Amino acid sequence: MNTAGHPEATARRGLELTPFRGLRYDPDRVGSLAAVTSPPYDVVVRPDGLHQLQDSDPYNIVRLILPQAGTPSARNEQAAETLRRWLSEGVLTADTEPGLYVYEQHDGDGMLQRGIIGALLVTEPSEGLVLPHEDVMPHVVADRAALMRATSANLEPLLLTYRGNGTAAEATAVIERTVERPPLFSTTTEDGFSHRLWSITNPADLARVQSDLTRHQALIADGHHRWATYRRLRAEHASPSPWDYGLVLLVDTARYPLRVRAIHRLLHDVAVPDALAALDGHFRVRRLEVPLPEALETLADTACAGNAYLLAGDGTFHLVDHPEPALLDRTVPTDRPAAWRTLDATVLHATLLAHIWHVPEDDPTRIAYIHDTAATVRKAERDGGTAVLMHPVREDVVRDLARQGVTMPRKSTSFGPKPASGLVLRALDL
């Protein structure tokens, strides 16, 4: 385990994953398990995707993770009341004994991901056990914390990765033996991914998994705001308490590599002509009269040579690259490694957003962060804004920076596939 930059980690016992009594939908009480699932709260494209999920089934998990009401307090109380009602009606039921859960996702393109869902002891970044690689937005952490307080539940697992030795040993051996048994359920969602879940309750298997994880540190692949929320809520409660732990999915990416994709930006009140005009003399701009897939290929080729972005929203694509070196010298902080200073996300936030377009990165009325590329373009064209399409960062760059204790600009990466929300929940009072 590489603990460079985190000497404290060597004094700790490593990742501590504990069993819990999962809350799961009763398949006899819902239309289908696929119909009650949702992408993670921050991946749902709003309002279109939110409305579609709400309409798909009256018990869709989006009614808990993204409740709709007039005020934040009303939204959180609504989620708490909905959860209480679903529990009393038996829509959600708790498993009879604590366990860890093996979760599998696969699609028709050969993507296979397997990991273990459990309650992980919450630690601070300085301990070097769970490494963040992105900054967080305080208002999002406050929002998630209020929802978790109101519901007294972890409603969806965040995604953590660790690096095993690439063989079917220890935790992986338990996983691969477990998937030979019939699953608790199997379902296929609209995106074409099949999902299966098993429970691990055998004491020897639990001990083997837990022992293996004590030798590893984890990288937050998806869920920085929820991990920061876990840390805040743990600090609010006297230890020991259920708030010492948070719901996670741990994936060994040496065995099951993830995909790394970009998260795009939507500038709500900046039209494409205005965004382009502000770039004059500072970046090279080329118009691309090609469909989205070809535009993204051009972006990928260009990004290999330096910072590059695609702007969209006016019916075509504009390739933005070759930033003026003197501009970068003036706007990009110099107190961090070169690998950080040259990130597309760093230049976007420090130079384009802050200096050229004057768009605050944490103001949701001015900017949105959207995972779906085509949806970002559609919303920009419909609303008269500007889509800023990004090229993804390699996983090794992310992990190396995290091990140095250097966080990337917020919403820099999208690891996937992400765990579907609604397959297993954790109530803190069970």
Side-chain angles (χ1 to χ4, degrees), residues 11-65:
R12 288 195 57 93
R13 59 188 178 278
L15 300 173
E16 183 180 318
L17 193 69
T18 65
F20 69 103
R21 291 178 61 200
L23 289 182
R24 297 189 293 111
Y25 282 99
D26 181 343
D28 295 330
R29 297 297 308 274
V30 298
S32 73
L33 288 174
V36 296
T37 65
S38 164
Y41 80 97
D42 58 338
V43 181
V44 176
V45 178
R46 287 162 261 183
D48 303 355
L50 178 63
H51 293 155
Q52 179 182 351
L53 289 164
Q54 286 180 328
D55 294 343
S56 65
D57 191 285
Y59 299 117
N60 189 282
I61 191 67
V62 78
R63 297 178 184 274
L64 298 182
I65 63 174

Side-chain angles (χ1 to χ4, degrees), residues 90-111:
V91 174
L92 286 170
T93 59
D95 286 332
T96 56
E97 58 182 320
L100 299 176
Y101 296 84
V102 172
Y103 175 46
E104 176 190 274
Q105 295 167 274
H106 68 89
D107 66 8
D109 297 327
M111 179 71 189

Side-chain angles (χ1 to χ4, degrees), residues 169-288:
E170 303 303 333
T172 302
V174 175
I175 291 173
E176 297 188 1
R177 186 169 64 251
T178 299
V179 299
E180 296 176 357
R181 297 192 275 107
L184 296 172
F185 66 76
S186 177
T187 190
T188 301
T189 46
E190 277 191 356
D191 58 7
F193 271 92
S194 296
H195 307 261
R196 297 197 296 172
L197 192 79
W198 297 259
S199 62
I200 304 173
T201 56
N202 177 276
D205 285 341
L206 291 173
R208 190 172 183 182
V209 170
Q210 291 172 307
S211 175
D212 184 17
L213 292 176
T214 63
R215 296 192 288 270
H216 296 288
Q217 65 182 171
L219 175 74
I220 301 176
D222 184 69
H224 283 80
H225 290 90
R226 280 167 285 166
W227 184 256
T229 300
Y230 291 166
R231 289 169 48 213
R232 174 180 293 191
L233 294 172
R234 183 188 186 190
E236 292 176 0
H237 295 81
S239 186
S241 84
W243 298 96
D244 291 344
Y245 297 83
L247 186 63
V248 305
L249 166 65
L250 273 163
V251 175
D252 176 2
T253 53
R255 187 73 171 175
Y256 300 106
L258 298 182
R259 294 170 176 158
V260 186
R261 292 176 172 155
I263 301 177
H264 310 294
R265 277 66 170 160
L266 175 62
L267 313 183
H268 292 304
D269 56 359
V270 180
V272 172
D274 296 331
L276 294 173
L279 297 175
D280 186 36
H282 298 302
F283 285 76
R284 183 175 68 173
V285 179
R286 288 177 286 165
R287 186 184 181 97
L288 303 180

